[in-house]
Amino acid sequence: MITRLRAAALGTIAIALVGTAATAADLKPEEQIQTRQAGYRFMSWNMGKIKANLEGDYNQQQVQAAADAIAGIANSGMGALYGPGTDQDIGDVKTRVKPELFTDQEAVGKVAVAFIEAANNMAETAALGDKAEVKTAFGELGESCKGCHDKFRKD
Amino acid sequence: MITRLRAAALGTIAIALVGTAATAADLKPEEQIQTRQAGYRFMSWNMGKIKANLEGDYNQQQVQAAADAIAGIANSGMGALYGPGTDQDIGDVKTRVKPELFTDQEAVGKVAVAFIEAANNMAETAALGDKAEVKTAFGELGESCKGCHDKFRKD
């Protein structure tokens, strides 16, 4: 997985940024918003599990499973879920995304690349099982999340 | 990844069924429902991408990324999201789960094992890149989803 994840990173980042016809064509804008939020919610749960393991009894298998879930979601091309019409609330479906995400491609690319690399590094580190290294990788992953939130998410 | 996923399957299934203190302790029942639904929604999006690839132009990288996301979520111990109090609607948070899921442990174990094994097989097959084999693995994965829906999800 380690090699594959690294090797796939660039291509996946391209998908994350560009999207493809197959990834979003069947989803309405409100479904795209709900699906990207589902991804973030599920990653957040798994971040919480890793945090709990670092602060308490460390279960390597659970941390690795959580890190793999995060990496799998991070590499799935979520950029396709930011299609036209998903820049604002749609009825009851609310979004906190800032308009800049849809205009500042260069900055979006930077935070997306940083996030995917940090998620892959987290999965690779979790597989090796050293708690101290996992703590570092987890901190870096959290920073990469924050990097996007600070720039592209409303409070 | 192939070996690791296979090796981890049994342990992960144990987590899926039993859960652990760290996996759900911090989530309220309504958050557990929302988080498990987030996982299913995100997997559904990725199932749709694989289906679109099988029916149209086949992009191996996209299929593999989608399959990895599904496997990552499937192996993350979602059983912990079926904690006490999550067997019925909580305010606006609705659930279609049937009561039997919380009582028939043996049947739950069977569908959980079938699902995780099918998700891991899908990820392994997608990595190999043969479209015909992916089609078979995808069909089996869909059947394993349906196996649980038929038994434990209200219409």
Side-chain angles (χ1 to χ4, degrees):
Chain A
M1 185 174 188
I2 294 180
T3 314
R4 192 173 51 69
L5 277 179
R6 280 216 186 283
L10 265 187
T12 308
I13 288 164
I15 294 173
L17 302 181
V18 178
T20 74
T23 55
D26 296 337
L27 293 187
K28 295 176 197 165
E30 56 268 39
E31 293 171 333
Q32 292 179 41
I33 294 173
Q34 290 171 320
T35 303
R36 70 196 189 205
Q37 290 174 345
Y40 296 128
R41 181 186 284 274
F42 206 81
M43 287 194 286
S44 172
W45 175 52
N46 283 283
M47 290 293 281
K49 284 188 284 180
I50 297 172
K51 186 167 182 283
N53 272 276
L54 287 170
E55 291 172 351
D57 288 338
Y58 191 77
N59 180 327
Q60 194 265 334
Q61 194 176 58
Q62 185 178 90
V63 171
Q64 189 177 338
D68 283 348
I70 293 167
I73 293 170
N75 283 282
S76 68
M78 291 184 75
L81 299 170
Y82 290 86
T86 68
D87 57 332
Q88 51 194 326
D89 298 346
I90 302 172
D92 290 340
V93 180
K94 310 289 184 192
T95 174
R96 286 193 282 169
V97 71
K98 286 185 184 169
E100 294 90 306
L101 186 132
F102 299 87
T103 54
D104 192 347
Q105 280 204 331
E106 194 182 334
V108 171
K110 277 186 191 165
V111 297
V113 167
F115 168 55
I116 291 172
E117 287 184 347
N120 289 347
N121 180 57
M122 176 72 220
E124 293 167 18
T125 307
L128 300 175
D130 184 272
K131 186 177 174 178
E133 288 182 10
V134 164
K135 194 172 183 179
T136 302
F138 181 71
E140 291 168 356
L141 177 54
E143 282 302 309
S144 79
C145 297
K146 190 172 179 297
C148 187
H149 296 170
D150 287 349
K151 214 165 175 66
F152 296 114
R153 192 176 73 171
K154 294 174 197 158
D155 291 333
Chain B
M1 185 173 190
I2 293 179
T3 313
R4 194 174 51 68
L5 278 177
R6 278 217 188 282
L10 265 186
T12 309
I13 289 164
I15 294 173
L17 302 182
V18 177
T20 74
T23 54
D26 295 336
L27 293 187
K28 295 176 198 165
E30 55 268 39
E31 293 170 333
Q32 291 179 41
I33 294 174
Q34 289 170 321
T35 303
R36 71 196 189 204
Q37 290 175 345
Y40 297 128
R41 181 185 285 273
F42 206 81
M43 288 194 285
S44 172
W45 175 52
N46 283 284
M47 291 292 282
K49 284 189 283 181
I50 297 171
K51 185 167 183 282
N53 271 277
L54 287 169
E55 291 173 351
D57 288 338
Y58 191 77
N59 179 326
Q60 193 266 333
Q61 194 176 58
Q62 185 177 92
V63 170
Q64 189 177 338
D68 283 347
I70 293 166
I73 293 170
N75 282 281
S76 68
M78 291 184 74
L81 299 171
Y82 290 87
T86 69
D87 57 331
Q88 52 195 326
D89 298 347
I90 301 172
D92 289 341
V93 180
K94 310 289 185 192
T95 174
R96 285 193 282 169
V97 71
K98 286 186 185 170
E100 294 90 306
L101 186 132
F102 298 87
T103 53
D104 192 348
Q105 280 204 332
E106 193 182 336
V108 171
K110 277 186 191 167
V111 295
V113 168
F115 169 54
I116 291 173
E117 286 183 347
N120 289 346
N121 180 58
M122 177 71 220
E124 293 166 17
T125 307
L128 299 175
D130 183 274
K131 186 176 173 178
E133 288 182 10
V134 164
K135 193 171 182 178
T136 301
F138 181 71
E140 290 168 356
L141 177 54
E143 282 302 309
S144 79
C145 298
K146 190 172 178 296
C148 186
H149 295 171
D150 287 351
K151 214 165 175 67
F152 296 114
R153 192 176 74 170
K154 294 172 196 159
D155 291 332

